[in-house]
Amino acid sequence: ASMRLGELRHHQGDADGAREHFRRAKEDLDKIAHELPGEPYCQKRLIVLLAHCPDPDFRDPLRAVQIAHRVKTDSDGVLWRYLALSQYRAGAWEEAKSSIEKSMELRAGGDPLDWILLAMAQWQLGSHDAAVGAYARAEEAISSGTPILYLEMGVLGFQRLRAEAKGLLASVAERSGV
């Protein structure tokens, strides 16, 4: 709840209120992570907070990568997704691309969140045409109402990631008509 309230406060422009909620969320998630270090379900929200918190002071993508590697399984596509997000934030774009592709493989091709992450990694790797294609696939799916599995990230977190990808691809996307 603290993470969601922090997201909402941040979205409303209340940086101080957001920071207090993010601080509480991090404390609670750190405590849970310490008590249940091998439990993937309990680690997902901490990974997302460390990789994607709107307040960069709370981000620690390298720690998020470590946690995700420790708890991921060969069958949990959602954890592979959050590993990809963490790797992307850490600047490990090739690894992020591989992890998001593994996530998509495990989850029947993925969803718009996956395609946005894939587009961002591809862009950073210089595969601009592929990035524009993945982003266009995400936008088309969003427009058609395709369900998006963003439970740990939340709606506002997904919207921030989508806006970030849009900004990253803006110059090429405009030329391509996306």
Side-chain angles (χ1 to χ4, degrees), residues 99-165:
S99 294
I100 199 61
E101 287 170 343
K102 174 74 172 181
S103 172
M104 291 165 46
E105 175 187 320
L106 291 170
R107 296 181 34 262
D111 66 18
L113 198 160
D114 297 308
W115 305 323
I116 286 171
L117 276 172
L118 178 62
M120 293 170 70
Q122 289 171 325
W123 180 267
Q124 296 294 354
L125 291 167
S127 299
H128 297 164
D129 290 341
V132 169
Y135 181 79
R137 181 179 182 194
E139 287 298 319
E140 183 179 309
I142 292 166
S143 295
S144 70
T146 298
I148 305 167
L149 179 64
Y150 50 66
L151 180 63
E152 287 83 7
M153 183 177 282
V155 174
L156 293 174
F158 172 73
Q159 289 172 345
R160 281 187 299 102
L161 189 70
R162 183 180 179 194
E164 181 181 347

Side-chain angles (χ1 to χ4, degrees), residues 6 28 44 55 71 101 108-109 140 146 153-154 175:
D28 291 344
K44 288 177 187 175
D55 185 331
V71 298
E101 287 170 343
E140 183 179 309
T146 298
M153 183 177 282
R175 288 194 307 257

